Amino acid sequence: MKERRKVMQGRVVSDKMAKTVIVEIESRTSHPLYGKVVTRARRFKAHNVEPVVAKLGDLVKITEARPMSSQKRWLVTEIVQRGVVVEKAVDVELESLREKEEADRAARRVEEERRAAERLAKLAGEEEESTEEAEPESEDA
């Protein structure tokens, strides 16, 4: 008799471990009493080896296998669809926002320095005028 292994399809939600990925499988069922469609998600740790290397966001097929660790009993057999990683796009967007903020800060610093220099020049000009006014009085006396 031919051995049958369970095969499931899900999305890779984490690939931070060395040879393991976490695959989330969503199942939609109707509630027995109320009839509302309920989505349930289950997570499985699957062995991710060289011929098929799944990354974050990929849609993969996992097959039941022998126990490889206390929690890992699945093997990534096929990548159905390569996923677009949203987090990297968010990182790029955050980096551009940081650069824009830094440019704004630099522009504000330059503007503040310019205003401070104008105030100092104005104060220095007032001091010169007051000393010039004071000197003629002393000459007349």
Side-chain angles (χ1 to χ4, degrees), residues 30-97:
S30 179
H31 191 277
L33 179 61
Y34 301 112
K36 179 180 178 180
V37 176
V38 181
T39 303
R40 293 199 173 124
R42 291 171 47 192
R43 293 173 146 217
F44 297 96
K45 289 185 179 163
H47 193 59
N48 192 23
V49 289
E50 273 306 309
V52 184
V53 178
K55 292 188 174 35
L56 187 68
D58 291 351
L59 188 66
V60 296
K61 278 190 180 178
I62 58 174
T63 307
E64 195 175 25
R66 63 177 177 80
M68 291 170 234
S69 70
S70 65
Q71 295 178 344
K72 188 163 63 167
R73 284 157 168 72
W74 296 86
L75 180 67
V76 176
T77 53
E78 179 185 347
I79 297 175
V80 178
Q81 179 184 23
R82 286 284 179 193
V84 178
V85 179
V86 177
E87 292 176 8
K88 290 184 180 178
V90 170
D91 289 343
V92 170
E93 192 174 317
L94 283 173
E95 188 63 34
S96 66
L97 286 172

Side-chain angles (χ1 to χ4, degrees), residues 2-61:
K2 191 174 181 182
E3 183 182 344
R4 295 212 169 107
R5 296 176 184 226
K6 293 179 187 173
V7 177
M8 292 193 269
Q9 187 170 328
R11 190 146 316 263
V12 176
V13 292
S14 174
D15 63 348
K16 295 184 179 181
M17 292 174 268
K19 293 181 182 178
T20 307
V21 291
I22 297 177
V23 179
E24 188 171 78
I25 295 170
E26 290 186 351
S27 59
R28 298 169 64 91
T29 56
S30 179
H31 191 277
L33 179 61
Y34 301 112
K36 179 180 178 180
V37 176
V38 181
T39 303
R40 293 199 173 124
R42 291 171 47 192
R43 293 173 146 217
F44 297 96
K45 289 185 179 163
H47 193 59
N48 192 23
V49 289
E50 273 306 309
V52 184
V53 178
K55 292 188 174 35
L56 187 68
D58 291 351
L59 188 66
V60 296
K61 278 190 180 178

